Amino acid sequence: MSSAAAFSYAPLLPTGPDQTDYRLVTDEGVDVVHGPGGRRFLTVEPAALTALTAEAMHDIAHFLRPAHLAQLRAIIDDPAASPNDRFVALDLLRNANIAAGGVLPMCQDTGTAIVMGKRGRHVLTDGADAEAISRGVYQAYTKLNLRYSQLAPLTMWDERNTGSNLPAQVDLYAEDPDGHPDAYKFLFMAKGGGSANKSYLYQETKALLNPTRMMQFLEEKLRLIGTAACPPYHLAIVIGGTSAEYALKTAKYASAKYLDALPTAGSMSAHGFRDLELEAEVLELTRNFGIGAQFGGRYFCHDVRVVRLPRHGASCPVAIAVSCSADRQAVAKITPSGVWLERLETDPARFLPDVTDASLDAELVVRVDLNRPMDEIRAELSKYPVKTRLSLSGPLVVARDIAHAKIAERLDAGEPMPQYLRDHAVYYAGPAKTPEGYASGSFGPTTAGRMDAYVEKFQAAGGSQVMLAKGNRSGQVTRSCQQHGGFYLGSIGGPAARLAQDCIKHVEVLEYPELGMEAVWKIEVEDFPAFIVVDDKGNDFFAEVTKPVLTVGRR
């Protein structure tokens, strides 16, 4: 056995100087006191933690970072972008403009509240920091037009919505942030189910660590992400890790741009670093998938972060995570000068281009009247190929997981398919709270794949002949549509505020009002954008773009 190396220490994730543009939230609840040895201590009252958290959760529900908005604008200005790329980007910019009004959140799935904090050794609190932070989450979600998504397990099989969006995930560390003992720094995130469900862990081996195999592996795995998490994505890939959970946590932070200031080369100190060359190559790889910004094109990803971590010689975890079009995060800090929060963009209209629908190939849009009988609607859709852009007007039925399960139980008991699912297209969605004076709260699509198991049963019983949601479907859905003459239409994932303000004109409960946002609703829509994804002939747009084609490795 060789002699031991000399002791050296480096943090696993050494980050550079903080370049964030902050705004002052308050200077109340913080003070500086002097202690032994001439040391200064920062005291932070629980109310300051609560106020900061409530403000942060408000901001990330309504505002985005300027850099993210600039990336959306760049898609519209890129002549190589597909018409569908540009249409999605424009819709997301319009959505950001509406959400910035502070009434409708940008996405109906207002997410799990996640807070990570690093408290310097000279910061004094009452010790109940997680409780004070959770109170701020509670204040934001109960006072704003946000959705409650957290379920309390009552037994192994029974659960109930907590009615407050608590619990939050709060992770606090005893660590001098950026070397400052009298500072408390935070990352606030709101993670919806769509993007959270696209976090992956793969347990690989040393055999993966060569350019050719790595690129083949990434092409296969990245295509499987699909569009259910609402691209264009901020994609993060972490290779290595001292444990599986550390790799996954690092991927989540990297997707939020929290690790952008990592070193760009490794050393014998065994710290993590970013591989900028591989980031560029993976981004170009995703440009060639054909998936695009949800319905074909180049913009599956805005950007890519690749982080290389040290590893145990017998393990090579690989973690993949995305931040979606609702790119909701902000950093914050508490210092002797006050409570500070990252300055997000409050005027996203400055990123909107001077374009009209005509300049985005509006003549290619097929207008579909949903007031007609279902057979006529299907006959009209049958005329067009997959990827065709549609504009829907008329009634839709809204139902998602719990409603589908209840209807399936009724069918199993010998009851007929509800007439509303025979007569109308079904939209998989669940609204956020409805603000006063609005027909609807933010009301975007949910992930279609969660309803796949019901499709054949429902279509065989005469229902769900036209389905509307986000993301790709399984082969069983394609086969069922071919057999029963059905269609799956893709809705743009992300612009829930714009859909609520511009497209949804009336909302009423049809059945199961006790389920809250999971009830069966009937809504009236006008010029609701959609795309044909699966048709009645067995064609599936996503089936082709998810097949790996790469045969060469990294140059």
Side-chain angles (χ1 to χ4, degrees), residues 79 119 173 177 190 464 493 534:
R119 190 175 79 180
Y173 299 89
S464 295
V534 176

Coordinates of all heavy atoms in Angstrom, one line a residue, residues 79 119 173 177 190 464 493 534:
P79 N -33.4 32.3 -36.9 CA -34.0 31.8 -38.2 C -33.9 30.3 -38.3 O -34.7 29.7 -39.1 CB -33.1 32.5 -39.3 CG -31.8 32.9 -38.6 CD -32.2 33.1 -37.2
R119 N -26.0 28.8 7.0 CA -25.9 29.8 8.1 C -24.5 29.9 8.6 O -23.9 28.9 9.0 CB -26.9 29.4 9.2 CG -27.0 30.4 10.3 CD -28.1 30.0 11.3 NE -27.6 29.1 12.2 CZ -28.3 28.6 13.2 NH1 -29.6 28.9 13.3 NH2 -27.8 27.7 14.1
Y173 N -27.7 24.2 6.5 CA -26.3 23.8 6.8 C -25.6 24.8 7.6 O -25.8 26.0 7.5 CB -25.6 23.6 5.4 CG -26.2 22.6 4.5 CD1 -27.2 23.0 3.6 CD2 -25.9 21.3 4.5 CE1 -27.8 22.1 2.8 CE2 -26.4 20.3 3.7 CZ -27.4 20.7 2.8 OH -28.0 19.8 2.0
P177 N -21.2 31.0 4.4 CA -21.4 31.2 2.9 C -20.5 32.2 2.3 O -20.3 33.3 2.8 CB -22.9 31.7 2.9 CG -23.1 32.3 4.2 CD -22.3 31.6 5.2
A190 N -39.4 26.5 -6.3 CA -40.7 25.9 -6.3 C -40.7 24.9 -7.4 O -40.5 25.2 -8.6 CB -41.8 26.9 -6.6
S464 N -63.2 9.6 -23.9 CA -61.9 10.0 -24.1 C -61.4 9.8 -25.5 O -60.3 9.5 -25.8 CB -60.9 9.3 -23.1 OG -61.2 9.6 -21.8
G493 N -47.0 23.1 -22.6 CA -46.8 23.1 -21.2 C -46.1 24.3 -20.7 O -45.0 24.7 -21.2
V534 N -50.8 12.4 -31.4 CA -51.2 11.0 -31.8 C -52.5 11.0 -32.5 O -53.5 11.7 -32.1 CB -51.4 10.1 -30.5 CG1 -51.8 8.7 -30.9 CG2 -50.1 10.0 -29.7

